[in-house]
Amino acid sequence: MKKWFGKIIVLAILVLVALPGYALAERQHPRPKPAPTPTTTPQPAPTPTTVTKDEALLITLINQQRAKHHLAPVKLNTCLMDASRAHSAEMAAKTYFTHNSRNGESFFRRLQRYGYKRTGYHLWMVGEDIAWGTGLLSSPVAIVDSWMKSPPHRAVILTPQFREIGVGTALATKTWKKLSNVTFFTLDMGRRK
């Protein structure tokens, strides 16, 4: 009993504390799923998302970390992927670093805008890690290593409930903090059921 109580307290603290580069959001409601609308026309198959070499490596490294901790792998979700890519691109183009978009939109609102909706699910849970690096510190290996050494970032990656992932990387065209060739990274994870 004490073991579970401690985990609940830690989880509650993680949900309430928002540190730079890390964020979690959760919504749980006993909401019934809407009945599917009958359709006579066949629906097109989802378009497969092409991932870059760095994006594929990020996903592989995240799943390796989850496997080390006996957690289920996460699978690519196109909505999370689109949101992650857009956020990294915006941070790179406008040279800022925060979870909120430049216009003040929160990361969980961004995820919904890109199609990772809450509607129809009784559990909607998301988390985000962001990072930036230059030179050797801008590789996916270096970024995942730094996330795993940071307790709040590690908590997002190792959240047992997550099943879906999106990642995005973008190279800044301007200098940022007097540095050039800065790459911005966004990792979005989620679960809906």
Side-chain angles (χ1 to χ4, degrees), residues 42-71:
Q43 298 297 314
T47 308
T49 299
T50 303
V51 297
T52 67
K53 186 175 112 181
D54 283 348
E55 291 168 342
L57 183 54
L58 279 168
I59 294 168
T60 298
L61 293 168
I62 296 296
N63 276 326
Q64 285 174 355
Q65 291 297 328
R66 289 178 64 85
K68 285 181 189 177
H69 294 86
H70 310 290
L71 298 174

Side-chain angles (χ1 to χ4, degrees), residues 81-152:
M81 196 74 179
D82 292 345
S84 297
R85 285 174 167 168
H87 191 58
S88 289
E90 182 183 65
M91 288 191 295
K94 297 181 179 178
T95 56
Y96 74 96
F97 183 70
T98 182
H99 289 284
N100 289 346
S101 296
R102 193 54 138 185
N103 67 4
E105 180 182 47
S106 65
F107 87 95
F108 52 90
R109 295 248 188 261
R110 177 179 5 98
L111 297 180
Q112 291 177 66
R113 182 168 49 89
Y114 276 89
Y116 202 73
K117 305 281 187 189
R118 294 177 172 191
T119 309
Y121 299 95
H122 70 275
L123 172 69
W124 186 87
M125 183 178 187
V126 295
E128 178 172 89
D129 284 344
I130 58 175
W132 65 271
T134 187
L136 294 175
L137 299 177
S138 66
S139 73
V141 172
I143 295 300
V144 172
D145 185 55
S146 69
W147 281 336
M148 291 305 292
K149 289 178 179 172
S150 163

